[in-house]
Amino acid sequence: MISCWHWMDAAAGPSRWVISDRWDGLDALLEPNHEIILAHTSRDVLHALHQLDENTREAMGARARRRILEHHTAAHRAETLERELECAMRRVGRGASATLPFQ
């Protein structure tokens, strides 16, 4: 199984468009039929390959790349992790001023 982060990093390349199966949370990362094609069957994959023209595919790839670079890079994930750790530390009483163990 390919992790979502692996193909998202690959999708950040220029003019790449993505066909994926459906999984929980995917539509929060990329907008179906605008930034990504979701396929239920091999017939859906073939339809996308044969019916979408090159300009449509390139535009879709550009939109996906823009979204990924604006919201889903490793730096974004690190910021989210840091925020979540700080919230967890506040909940257990260490307070916001406590130093994170990796700082």
Side-chain angles (χ1 to χ4, degrees):
M1 178 176 182
I2 297 174
S3 76
C4 66
W5 303 118
H6 174 78
W7 68 253
M8 282 179 43
D9 288 339
S15 299
R16 293 195 180 145
W17 61 296
V18 176
I19 301 175
S20 176
D21 60 336
R22 235 176 241 284
W23 44 269
D24 289 340
L26 178 59
D27 57 347
L29 300 173
L30 294 170
E31 184 181 338
N33 301 318
H34 186 68
E35 297 166 331
I36 189 170
I37 297 294
L38 299 180
H40 299 283
T41 66
S42 57
R43 178 171 282 174
D44 294 337
V45 173
L46 292 173
H47 176 78
L49 292 172
H50 292 124
Q51 298 302 315
L52 297 176
D53 62 65
E54 186 175 341
N55 291 335
T56 300
R57 292 190 306 259
E58 286 181 6
M60 185 175 288
R63 287 189 298 268
R65 182 176 196 270
R66 203 168 25 255
R67 169 76 76 96
I68 289 166
L69 293 176
E70 289 175 1
H71 302 288
H72 302 298
T73 64
H76 290 106
R77 294 191 300 274
E79 289 171 6
T80 300
L81 175 62
E82 188 173 277
R83 271 195 315 275
E84 293 298 321
L85 288 172
E86 287 172 351
C87 287
M89 288 169 52
R90 276 194 221 89
R91 283 194 300 273
V92 297
R94 291 183 59 191
S97 63
T99 303
L100 293 174
F102 49 83
Q103 286 181 327

